[in-house]
Amino acid sequence: MHSITADASLEHRIHLELPAARGGDQAAYGRIVRLSQNATTAIALAITRDVQASQDIAQEAYLKAWQQLGRLQNTTSFLPWLRQITRNLARDHLRGRRERLVAGETAELAIAQAADPDGCPMQRIVDDETGRVAADLISELPDESREVLLLYYREGGNSKQVAALLGLSDAAVRKRLSRARRSLREDLIARFREFAESSAPGTAFTLLVTAGLATFAKPAAAGTLAGVAAGSAFGGGVAGKAALGSAGAIGAAGAGLLFGGLTMWLCRTMIARYAETEAERRAILRLYDRWFVGGGVVALIVMLPVGFFVQRGVLPSVWAAAGGIALMAIFNHPLLTSLPRLMDPLLARDAARDPRGAARRALAYRLMFGSSGLIITNLGVLGSMLILFLRNA
């Protein structure tokens, strides 16, 4: 039996994980994501020239592939199949962006100000410039060389590994690398390398995709997921699970964390689609990340340790109750103030253009972010606190 070379080992390792992944092994699929995520995000980035969009697209590609993995008959076709899914999603993203009407500069500034009235104008200028530099660097390259050069630097300069991930010969990779280097001025080569390396997805990307798999997997035992529903609404995603840890259900908190991560990502993606300009998109994501992602991190850092010590009787139950109330305040504030100011004009614009489709989208939005979502979230947190007191009575 011939030996596997070091350069081909990455592709070989992916193929070794596929049988278990096809059988529903989420950990095996997570390892596939970790091994191939540089390639998928590079493909999406080469098409969109937008780092955040490229990671969103790659995440969607992995979740779509997971849903359809059982249909894959030949494991050697997995990487070409995944690449095609990624390219299709990236092109759909560009097509959708081109079809949107561009709002005026005044509207952009008003939306950005509503989302972040205290924001630093200088930071917005830096963000704009960073995005433009990234797009300009990628645009300097021939179309066929973008994926290769991005992945080459992300994979530590291993051309054979790039060839395996992109389904090319090593000679073809080297030819495209040479053409790409000739296209860029010498002073831009170092900048492009730094950009490629710094924009590569990390461990958080893998964890986020793996968390999303729980939505499509078989449900766990009722005892393990006893409290997941309490935090399944937006805002309750991470906070609700952390509060359930306070009730003594550490296992439920862990399972809820995965489900909550997916919930937050899906909500983030959903509201970003209302944006028609880059300024609108940045304003929405800045508000979301500041309050909800940041609030989720606070919940994890604070509530899981509190739950652990309450469960063991080191801390009184009132500590967990106080933490739950504080988290309710953190998530309720933007849902009642900042988010409506930002999103109401966008929802109204959507309704004016497509009343029938907008009605369905608005219903989903209200369940996640509106009064219905707020009620469900608060009931989830209050319910977890009630469980806490009943268990410790």
Side-chain angles (χ1 to χ4, degrees), residues 141-152:
L141 295 169
D143 290 351
E144 65 175 15
S145 301
R146 294 172 182 175
E147 295 175 2
V148 169
L149 194 60
L150 281 166
L151 188 54
Y152 178 75

mmCIF file with all atom_site columns, all heavy atoms in Angstrom, residues 141-152:
data_model
loop_
_atom_site.group_PDB
_atom_site.id
_atom_site.type_symbol
_atom_site.label_atom_id
_atom_site.label_alt_id
_atom_site.label_comp_id
_atom_site.label_asym_id
_atom_site.label_entity_id
_atom_site.label_seq_id
_atom_site.pdbx_PDB_ins_code
_atom_site.Cartn_x
_atom_site.Cartn_y
_atom_site.Cartn_z
_atom_site.occupancy
_atom_site.B_iso_or_equiv
_atom_site.pdbx_formal_charge
_atom_site.auth_seq_id
_atom_site.auth_comp_id
_atom_site.auth_asym_id
_atom_site.auth_atom_id
_atom_site.pdbx_PDB_model_num
ATOM 1   N N   . LEU A 1 141 ? -5.580  41.334 -8.239  1.00 0.00 ? 141 LEU A N   1
ATOM 2   C CA  . LEU A 1 141 ? -5.176  40.021 -8.718  1.00 0.00 ? 141 LEU A CA  1
ATOM 3   C C   . LEU A 1 141 ? -6.062  39.539 -9.851  1.00 0.00 ? 141 LEU A C   1
ATOM 4   O O   . LEU A 1 141 ? -7.243  39.871 -9.915  1.00 0.00 ? 141 LEU A O   1
ATOM 5   C CB  . LEU A 1 141 ? -5.251  39.000 -7.578  1.00 0.00 ? 141 LEU A CB  1
ATOM 6   C CG  . LEU A 1 141 ? -4.290  39.220 -6.408  1.00 0.00 ? 141 LEU A CG  1
ATOM 7   C CD1 . LEU A 1 141 ? -4.667  38.292 -5.264  1.00 0.00 ? 141 LEU A CD1 1
ATOM 8   C CD2 . LEU A 1 141 ? -2.862  38.968 -6.841  1.00 0.00 ? 141 LEU A CD2 1
ATOM 9   N N   . PRO A 1 142 ? -5.519  38.709 -10.749 1.00 0.00 ? 142 PRO A N   1
ATOM 10  C CA  . PRO A 1 142 ? -6.373  38.039 -11.740 1.00 0.00 ? 142 PRO A CA  1
ATOM 11  C C   . PRO A 1 142 ? -7.391  37.157 -11.024 1.00 0.00 ? 142 PRO A C   1
ATOM 12  O O   . PRO A 1 142 ? -7.103  36.591 -9.970  1.00 0.00 ? 142 PRO A O   1
ATOM 13  C CB  . PRO A 1 142 ? -5.371  37.188 -12.548 1.00 0.00 ? 142 PRO A CB  1
ATOM 14  C CG  . PRO A 1 142 ? -4.024  37.780 -12.256 1.00 0.00 ? 142 PRO A CG  1
ATOM 15  C CD  . PRO A 1 142 ? -4.096  38.367 -10.885 1.00 0.00 ? 142 PRO A CD  1
ATOM 16  N N   . ASP A 1 143 ? -8.575  37.024 -11.615 1.00 0.00 ? 143 ASP A N   1
ATOM 17  C CA  . ASP A 1 143 ? -9.647  36.251 -10.969 1.00 0.00 ? 143 ASP A CA  1
ATOM 18  C C   . ASP A 1 143 ? -9.191  34.861 -10.571 1.00 0.00 ? 143 ASP A C   1
ATOM 19  O O   . ASP A 1 143 ? -9.489  34.380 -9.480  1.00 0.00 ? 143 ASP A O   1
ATOM 20  C CB  . ASP A 1 143 ? -10.860 36.151 -11.899 1.00 0.00 ? 143 ASP A CB  1
ATOM 21  C CG  . ASP A 1 143 ? -11.573 37.482 -12.067 1.00 0.00 ? 143 ASP A CG  1
ATOM 22  O OD1 . ASP A 1 143 ? -11.217 38.429 -11.332 1.00 0.00 ? 143 ASP A OD1 1
ATOM 23  O OD2 . ASP A 1 143 ? -12.457 37.583 -12.930 1.00 0.00 ? 143 ASP A OD2 1
ATOM 24  N N   . GLU A 1 144 ? -8.488  34.172 -11.449 1.00 0.00 ? 144 GLU A N   1
ATOM 25  C CA  . GLU A 1 144 ? -8.120  32.775 -11.207 1.00 0.00 ? 144 GLU A CA  1
ATOM 26  C C   . GLU A 1 144 ? -7.032  32.628 -10.140 1.00 0.00 ? 144 GLU A C   1
ATOM 27  O O   . GLU A 1 144 ? -6.813  31.529 -9.630  1.00 0.00 ? 144 GLU A O   1
ATOM 28  C CB  . GLU A 1 144 ? -7.636  32.121 -12.502 1.00 0.00 ? 144 GLU A CB  1
ATOM 29  C CG  . GLU A 1 144 ? -6.339  32.729 -13.033 1.00 0.00 ? 144 GLU A CG  1
ATOM 30  C CD  . GLU A 1 144 ? -5.803  31.994 -14.251 1.00 0.00 ? 144 GLU A CD  1
ATOM 31  O OE1 . GLU A 1 144 ? -6.568  31.212 -14.856 1.00 0.00 ? 144 GLU A OE1 1
ATOM 32  O OE2 . GLU A 1 144 ? -4.636  32.205 -14.600 1.00 0.00 ? 144 GLU A OE2 1
ATOM 33  N N   . SER A 1 145 ? -6.378  33.735 -9.778  1.00 0.00 ? 145 SER A N   1
ATOM 34  C CA  . SER A 1 145 ? -5.268  33.655 -8.822  1.00 0.00 ? 145 SER A CA  1
ATOM 35  C C   . SER A 1 145 ? -5.666  34.034 -7.404  1.00 0.00 ? 145 SER A C   1
ATOM 36  O O   . SER A 1 145 ? -4.893  33.824 -6.474  1.00 0.00 ? 145 SER A O   1
ATOM 37  C CB  . SER A 1 145 ? -4.126  34.575 -9.279  1.00 0.00 ? 145 SER A CB  1
ATOM 38  O OG  . SER A 1 145 ? -3.669  34.212 -10.566 1.00 0.00 ? 145 SER A OG  1
ATOM 39  N N   . ARG A 1 146 ? -6.847  34.599 -7.224  1.00 0.00 ? 146 ARG A N   1
ATOM 40  C CA  . ARG A 1 146 ? -7.220  35.127 -5.907  1.00 0.00 ? 146 ARG A CA  1
ATOM 41  C C   . ARG A 1 146 ? -7.304  34.027 -4.860  1.00 0.00 ? 146 ARG A C   1
ATOM 42  O O   . ARG A 1 146 ? -6.741  34.130 -3.778  1.00 0.00 ? 146 ARG A O   1
ATOM 43  C CB  . ARG A 1 146 ? -8.545  35.887 -6.005  1.00 0.00 ? 146 ARG A CB  1
ATOM 44  C CG  . ARG A 1 146 ? -8.462  37.144 -6.846  1.00 0.00 ? 146 ARG A CG  1
ATOM 45  C CD  . ARG A 1 146 ? -9.834  37.756 -7.085  1.00 0.00 ? 146 ARG A CD  1
ATOM 46  N NE  . ARG A 1 146 ? -9.733  38.939 -7.939  1.00 0.00 ? 146 ARG A NE  1
ATOM 47  C CZ  . ARG A 1 146 ? -10.774 39.619 -8.390  1.00 0.00 ? 146 ARG A CZ  1
ATOM 48  N NH1 . ARG A 1 146 ? -12.006 39.217 -8.084  1.00 0.00 ? 146 ARG A NH1 1
ATOM 49  N NH2 . ARG A 1 146 ? -10.602 40.675 -9.153  1.00 0.00 ? 146 ARG A NH2 1
ATOM 50  N N   . GLU A 1 147 ? -8.058  32.971 -5.181  1.00 0.00 ? 147 GLU A N   1
ATOM 51  C CA  . GLU A 1 147 ? -8.206  31.873 -4.220  1.00 0.00 ? 147 GLU A CA  1
ATOM 52  C C   . GLU A 1 147 ? -6.850  31.276 -3.877  1.00 0.00 ? 147 GLU A C   1
ATOM 53  O O   . GLU A 1 147 ? -6.559  30.997 -2.707  1.00 0.00 ? 147 GLU A O   1
ATOM 54  C CB  . GLU A 1 147 ? -9.105  30.779 -4.808  1.00 0.00 ? 147 GLU A CB  1
ATOM 55  C CG  . GLU A 1 147 ? -10.533 31.202 -5.061  1.00 0.00 ? 147 GLU A CG  1
ATOM 56  C CD  . GLU A 1 147 ? -11.325 30.104 -5.749  1.00 0.00 ? 147 GLU A CD  1
ATOM 57  O OE1 . GLU A 1 147 ? -10.753 29.014 -5.984  1.00 0.00 ? 147 GLU A OE1 1
ATOM 58  O OE2 . GLU A 1 147 ? -12.519 30.321 -6.047  1.00 0.00 ? 147 GLU A OE2 1
ATOM 59  N N   . VAL A 1 148 ? -6.030  31.075 -4.904  1.00 0.00 ? 148 VAL A N   1
ATOM 60  C CA  . VAL A 1 148 ? -4.740  30.409 -4.712  1.00 0.00 ? 148 VAL A CA  1
ATOM 61  C C   . VAL A 1 148 ? -3.831  31.212 -3.791  1.00 0.00 ? 148 VAL A C   1
ATOM 62  O O   . VAL A 1 148 ? -3.244  30.662 -2.852  1.00 0.00 ? 148 VAL A O   1
ATOM 63  C CB  . VAL A 1 148 ? -4.057  30.176 -6.076  1.00 0.00 ? 148 VAL A CB  1
ATOM 64  C CG1 . VAL A 1 148 ? -2.608  29.733 -5.884  1.00 0.00 ? 148 VAL A CG1 1
ATOM 65  C CG2 . VAL A 1 148 ? -4.818  29.131 -6.874  1.00 0.00 ? 148 VAL A CG2 1
ATOM 66  N N   . LEU A 1 149 ? -3.718  32.516 -4.039  1.00 0.00 ? 149 LEU A N   1
ATOM 67  C CA  . LEU A 1 149 ? -2.790  33.315 -3.236  1.00 0.00 ? 149 LEU A CA  1
ATOM 68  C C   . LEU A 1 149 ? -3.291  33.480 -1.802  1.00 0.00 ? 149 LEU A C   1
ATOM 69  O O   . LEU A 1 149 ? -2.499  33.403 -0.849  1.00 0.00 ? 149 LEU A O   1
ATOM 70  C CB  . LEU A 1 149 ? -2.586  34.693 -3.879  1.00 0.00 ? 149 LEU A CB  1
ATOM 71  C CG  . LEU A 1 149 ? -1.389  35.491 -3.330  1.00 0.00 ? 149 LEU A CG  1
ATOM 72  C CD1 . LEU A 1 149 ? -0.093  34.727 -3.539  1.00 0.00 ? 149 LEU A CD1 1
ATOM 73  C CD2 . LEU A 1 149 ? -1.304  36.862 -3.997  1.00 0.00 ? 149 LEU A CD2 1
ATOM 74  N N   . LEU A 1 150 ? -4.589  33.688 -1.629  1.00 0.00 ? 150 LEU A N   1
ATOM 75  C CA  . LEU A 1 150 ? -5.143  33.783 -0.274  1.00 0.00 ? 150 LEU A CA  1
ATOM 76  C C   . LEU A 1 150 ? -4.875  32.505 0.511   1.00 0.00 ? 150 LEU A C   1
ATOM 77  O O   . LEU A 1 150 ? -4.405  32.532 1.656   1.00 0.00 ? 150 LEU A O   1
ATOM 78  C CB  . LEU A 1 150 ? -6.653  34.036 -0.341  1.00 0.00 ? 150 LEU A CB  1
ATOM 79  C CG  . LEU A 1 150 ? -7.117  35.457 -0.632  1.00 0.00 ? 150 LEU A CG  1
ATOM 80  C CD1 . LEU A 1 150 ? -8.598  35.471 -1.014  1.00 0.00 ? 150 LEU A CD1 1
ATOM 81  C CD2 . LEU A 1 150 ? -6.893  36.361 0.578   1.00 0.00 ? 150 LEU A CD2 1
ATOM 82  N N   . LEU A 1 151 ? -5.178  31.366 -0.109  1.00 0.00 ? 151 LEU A N   1
ATOM 83  C CA  . LEU A 1 151 ? -5.027  30.085 0.584   1.00 0.00 ? 151 LEU A CA  1
ATOM 84  C C   . LEU A 1 151 ? -3.547  29.741 0.777   1.00 0.00 ? 151 LEU A C   1
ATOM 85  O O   . LEU A 1 151 ? -3.178  29.129 1.787   1.00 0.00 ? 151 LEU A O   1
ATOM 86  C CB  . LEU A 1 151 ? -5.734  28.986 -0.212  1.00 0.00 ? 151 LEU A CB  1
ATOM 87  C CG  . LEU A 1 151 ? -5.846  27.624 0.471   1.00 0.00 ? 151 LEU A CG  1
ATOM 88  C CD1 . LEU A 1 151 ? -6.491  27.747 1.842   1.00 0.00 ? 151 LEU A CD1 1
ATOM 89  C CD2 . LEU A 1 151 ? -6.647  26.662 -0.398  1.00 0.00 ? 151 LEU A CD2 1
ATOM 90  N N   . TYR A 1 152 ? -2.706  30.126 -0.167  1.00 0.00 ? 152 TYR A N   1
ATOM 91  C CA  . TYR A 1 152 ? -1.266  29.848 -0.053  1.00 0.00 ? 152 TYR A CA  1
ATOM 92  C C   . TYR A 1 152 ? -0.696  30.464 1.218   1.00 0.00 ? 152 TYR A C   1
ATOM 93  O O   . TYR A 1 152 ? 0.034   29.804 1.972   1.00 0.00 ? 152 TYR A O   1
ATOM 94  C CB  . TYR A 1 152 ? -0.558  30.406 -1.281  1.00 0.00 ? 152 TYR A CB  1
ATOM 95  C CG  . TYR A 1 152 ? 0.936   30.228 -1.277  1.00 0.00 ? 152 TYR A CG  1
ATOM 96  C CD1 . TYR A 1 152 ? 1.510   28.982 -1.524  1.00 0.00 ? 152 TYR A CD1 1
ATOM 97  C CD2 . TYR A 1 152 ? 1.780   31.310 -1.057  1.00 0.00 ? 152 TYR A CD2 1
ATOM 98  C CE1 . TYR A 1 152 ? 2.889   28.823 -1.537  1.00 0.00 ? 152 TYR A CE1 1
ATOM 99  C CE2 . TYR A 1 152 ? 3.155   31.161 -1.073  1.00 0.00 ? 152 TYR A CE2 1
ATOM 100 C CZ  . TYR A 1 152 ? 3.706   29.916 -1.310  1.00 0.00 ? 152 TYR A CZ  1
ATOM 101 O OH  . TYR A 1 152 ? 5.080   29.768 -1.315  1.00 0.00 ? 152 TYR A OH  1
#
